[in-house]
Amino acid sequence: MFTFLISAIKIIFLLGFLILIHETGHFVVAKLCKVRVNEFAIGFGPTIWKKQGKETKYALRLIPLGGFISMEGEEELSDKEGSFSKASIPKRVAIVAAGAIVNIIFALIVSGEKTGTFITSTFEGLKQLFTGKAGLDQMMGPVGISEVVAKTNGMFEFINMIAIVSLSLGVTNLLPIPAL
């Protein structure tokens, strides 16, 4: 039971931290581009905590498997001041790419000398996926990542795992394939 609890805490921390820095990347760049962010949320499902800021509602949600920022004019066209849909194309690209770039920068800062190997492995895996040498069933999603994270021993190994997952998240989020 104790091992399960420690594993669950490690997994929730890893996912929560990576989601937090990813969404913060989008949030900061949106603010720098003067795009209104209506909501910044970590998790999905029912809200378990929220705070209304001057312009943005901050929320923590029950299911810690993702997060999002909701920008004015992101889902539908809006003529309001600070609308994502009114922002220039370079600003919109910067906002969308910012989360992935933050994940890659984090990985570079953390398991630096090994980052090249991780990047090569990530692209090799994607190449195998697109050439048919590997199937979607061989890709690792949240459940597979959770199993690997649960097996980490010690802080160094855990931090390396955070860097690997962060890099994979960053690289795959830069690709124009929503399913990844």
Side-chain angles (χ1 to χ4, degrees):
M1 178 66 173
F2 182 71
T3 305
F4 173 77
L5 184 60
I6 295 297
S7 295
I9 290 169
K10 289 189 326 188
I11 293 161
I12 290 169
F13 177 81
L14 179 136
L15 292 175
F17 177 76
L18 294 181
I19 293 163
L20 177 67
I21 65 171
H22 182 92
E23 297 306 329
T24 299
H26 293 305
F27 178 80
V28 168
V29 174
K31 290 294 196 177
L32 290 173
C33 292
K34 307 242 186 296
V35 171
R36 179 184 171 93
V37 178
N38 297 322
E39 184 174 1
F40 178 104
I42 302 299
F44 297 119
T47 301
I48 56 176
W49 176 87
K50 67 181 174 183
K51 178 177 169 76
Q52 181 62 51
K54 182 178 177 184
E55 180 177 271
T56 305
K57 178 174 89 173
Y58 301 90
L60 185 60
R61 293 173 179 248
L62 184 62
I63 305 166
L65 296 177
F68 64 91
I69 66 167
S70 174
M71 296 175 282
E72 180 67 39
E74 179 182 18
E75 297 293 324
E76 70 289 327
L77 291 178
S78 171
D79 288 332
K80 291 183 181 176
E81 188 66 31
S83 170
F84 179 78
S85 56
K86 284 181 62 177
S88 68
I89 291 174
K91 285 182 179 181
R92 287 186 276 171
V93 168
I95 293 166
V96 170
I101 291 169
V102 167
N103 285 117
I104 292 169
I105 290 170
F106 172 76
L108 289 169
I109 291 169
V110 170
S111 59
E113 79 237 15
K114 293 184 179 182
T115 304
T117 304
F118 297 152
I119 290 173
T120 303
S121 296
T122 301
F123 279 112
E124 183 59 33
L126 290 170
K127 178 181 160 189
Q128 289 179 2
L129 178 68
F130 290 112
T131 59
K133 293 181 181 172
L136 282 175
D137 61 330
Q138 293 176 301
M139 296 202 61
M140 193 177 294
V143 173
I145 291 169
S146 298
E147 290 174 0
V148 173
V149 170
K151 295 176 184 173
T152 59
N153 292 311
M155 188 58 76
F156 183 74
E157 198 173 293
F158 181 67
I159 290 171
N160 277 336
M161 183 54 60
I162 292 175
I164 291 167
V165 175
S166 186
L167 182 67
S168 296
L169 179 65
V171 169
T172 55
N173 269 262
L174 287 176
L175 299 173
I177 304 165
L180 298 177

